[in-house]
Amino acid sequence: MRSSTSHGRARGAAVAASLATVLALTATACGDDGSGTAGGRGGEGSGKGEITFWDNNTAVRRDIWMEIIKDFEKKYPDIKVKYVGIPAASVQSKYDTAIQGGGLPDVGGVGAAMLAGIVSQNALEPVGDRVALSAALNGKLNTGMVESVKVAGGREDLYTVPTSASNGVLYYRTDLFREAGLPAPTTWTKFYEAAAKLTDSAKNQFGYTIRGGAGSIAQALDAMYGQSGITSFWDQSRTKTTVNDPRNVVALEKYAGLYKKATPSADVNNDFTKMVAQWDNGRIGMLYHNLGSYKDHVKALGADKFRGLPNPTTDGGTRVQVSNPVDGLGLFRSSGNKKAAWTFIEFAASHEANSKWNESAGAIPANTDAARDPWIQKAEPTRLAAEALNSGSTKIVQLPYYLPDWNTISKTANEPAFQKVLLGKTSAKDFLDSLADQLDKAQAEWKKQNQ
């Protein structure tokens, strides 16, 4: 996002002219109520008054958002923010309903996994030009996260301002590892050895807790690609997925084989809340979850009883992980007060607010100034995840968030099928072949529509 001085001036002038035209066309379109369906053009509005903000994970982040909103309203007393908290599990359906029936917010939290579906319905305003004109954001956003949300949106422009990345982390109980004389699970070989050695089902002690319920597919993909070392989700023609590559099949067989041998039997129904609570309150050696649960572990266990590491490497030292959804803030097209809504997004993604939010969440800030703040060095899992993400040594398999059907395929269509793999009712090969067929068809349809 950086450029030479002359190029930057030319780009700035072009962007300013382009944006001025857009603003002139939209300024008188609608009132400032912020409601409407996806097709509504909305308007720039007065830059004052009330805007509505939908938080896409109210269960765990409401308090920090209320603090940021208080700071914002102190700086901009002419703008009031109406906070609406929505549980992460229902935010997709909430947006879909509002897109069809009206009542969309001015600003909303939009993760990369749901971005394409919202963009395809023309519900979000492109914000690339606004970022380019923003002194607080231009050149201050992590380029990798910007690229991730661009790809996830499935179009050329930027449709959400990235705010954080919550990478996957292998948490392990350092006290249990010391008792067993085990090294840190830095490789997949060490991971499996520890899972077996730490398991004593008679004492209700297990080496690992596996995610078998909601959210299980993303975790399984991380384990598959991490072990196989495959670095692309598609073949060279970008028509066939690699999920059912024989190396991934072997990896999933080994990973799913942990169930009931080195994990509690109840894990087949684990969503993240059950999995995290079980690990925090029991004697389970390892847990794979994202950075969002770090603070919960500190509160439950104390910082001296666990560590969090990036995805294990192969024995050859290669680290591969799938792309984790980047969270962001979207400006909704139907807003009647886009000027005020953008002021809020710009504030929330700026250094101080972005640092405050990510410190609370234990996530990696999108704002590059925030990513250099002292708290990052004190939160080891966040620091290690950020280093792995930015070092260039980690190979990232970009998941196809741009597919409108991705959320359905990776959740409702296949989570029950993965449970059958854990229970031994379906083979890993049959499961992955079915998943590949669905993905290949979705990719073909997407390519046809975007020719």
Side-chain angles (χ1 to χ4, degrees), residues 112-130:
M114 69 178 73
L115 185 59
I118 298 175
V119 169
S120 68
Q121 297 178 81
N122 295 315
L124 287 170
E125 185 87 355
V127 293
D129 285 350
R130 293 179 191 262

Side-chain angles (χ1 to χ4, degrees), residues 295-312:
K295 297 282 181 132
D296 296 326
H297 308 322
V298 172
K299 185 177 179 180
L301 300 170
D304 61 332
K305 287 189 178 180
F306 77 97
R307 287 187 70 200
L309 301 174
N311 222 24

Side-chain angles (χ1 to χ4, degrees), residues 17 32 44 77 116 139 207 213 226 321 383 386 389 395 429 437:
D32 286 8
E44 285 300 305
Q321 64 184 56
R383 175 177 61 80
L389 187 65
K395 309 299 182 184
K429 184 179 186 305
D437 182 61

Side-chain angles (χ1 to χ4, degrees), residues 11-345:
R11 166 66 176 159
V15 168
S18 174
L19 187 56
T21 302
V22 172
L23 303 192
L25 290 170
T26 60
T28 58
C30 294
D32 286 8
D33 64 355
S35 63
T37 58
R41 288 298 299 266
E44 285 300 305
S46 65
K48 301 178 181 180
E50 183 177 89
I51 59 170
T52 298
F53 164 56
W54 283 8
D55 174 13
N56 57 333
N57 196 3
T58 186
V60 291
R61 302 296 169 226
R62 181 185 184 279
D63 290 347
I64 191 61
W65 272 120
M66 297 306 291
E67 187 177 332
I68 290 170
I69 289 169
K70 183 179 178 181
D71 293 342
F72 173 78
E73 291 178 345
K74 183 178 180 180
K75 184 174 182 178
Y76 299 97
D78 291 332
I79 305 174
K80 300 299 178 186
V81 180
K82 179 182 178 182
Y83 173 92
V84 179
I86 303 171
S90 58
V91 69
Q92 177 75 62
S93 61
K94 181 78 171 177
Y95 278 132
D96 288 342
T97 299
I99 286 170
Q100 298 303 318
L104 283 166
D106 300 279
V107 178
V110 181
M114 69 178 73
L115 185 59
I118 298 175
V119 169
S120 68
Q121 297 178 81
N122 295 315
L124 287 170
E125 185 87 355
V127 293
D129 285 350
R130 293 179 191 262
V131 169
L133 289 171
S134 171
L137 301 183
N138 187 31
K140 299 290 187 180
L141 297 175
N142 181 289
T143 55
M145 295 190 200
V146 169
E147 183 60 25
S148 288
V149 294
K150 276 188 175 181
V151 172
R155 297 184 182 178
E156 291 294 323
D157 211 323
L158 188 66
Y159 282 86
T160 185
V161 175
T163 54
S164 66
S166 190
N167 279 30
V169 176
L170 180 62
Y171 295 103
Y172 72 100
R173 288 281 299 272
T174 51
D175 55 342
L176 300 183
F177 271 68
R178 279 194 299 269
E179 289 175 16
L182 287 165
T186 53
T187 69
W188 284 102
T189 296
K190 292 176 182 176
F191 165 81
Y192 282 109
E193 288 174 351
K197 190 168 183 179
L198 290 173
T199 297
D200 187 342
S201 55
K203 296 181 179 179
N204 202 33
Q205 180 173 312
F206 299 93
Y208 186 60
T209 174
I210 199 168
R211 191 165 182 169
S216 61
I217 303 302
Q219 187 179 99
L221 291 173
D222 231 349
M224 284 163 43
Y225 282 94
Q227 294 173 80
S228 71
I230 296 170
T231 58
S232 176
F233 196 78
W234 301 103
D235 65 7
Q236 289 187 345
S237 69
R238 294 191 64 79
T239 59
K240 298 291 184 182
T241 180
T242 59
V243 294
N244 62 337
D245 182 285
R247 291 168 291 175
N248 276 335
V249 172
V250 171
L252 184 61
E253 286 173 344
K254 190 168 186 179
Y255 182 71
L258 291 172
Y259 175 65
K260 288 182 73 173
K261 293 179 181 176
T263 78
S265 59
D267 281 7
V268 70
N269 294 312
N270 267 357
D271 59 12
F272 87 90
T273 53
K274 292 175 184 175
M275 184 175 64
V276 167
Q278 180 174 255
W279 193 71
D280 285 345
N281 296 319
R283 287 180 61 82
I284 298 176
M286 295 176 291
L287 158 76
Y288 192 80
H289 192 237
N290 60 47
L291 288 165
S293 61
Y294 172 65
K295 297 282 181 132
D296 296 326
H297 308 322
V298 172
K299 185 177 179 180
L301 300 170
D304 61 332
K305 287 189 178 180
F306 77 97
R307 287 187 70 200
L309 301 174
N311 222 24
T313 70
T314 64
D315 288 342
T318 301
R319 177 176 286 114
V320 178
Q321 64 184 56
V322 300
S323 55
N324 292 93
V326 175
D327 211 5
L329 294 172
L331 175 63
F332 279 85
R333 195 165 177 255
S334 60
S335 170
N337 199 353
K338 292 190 180 78
K339 186 176 180 180
W342 175 252
T343 301
F344 177 66
I345 291 174

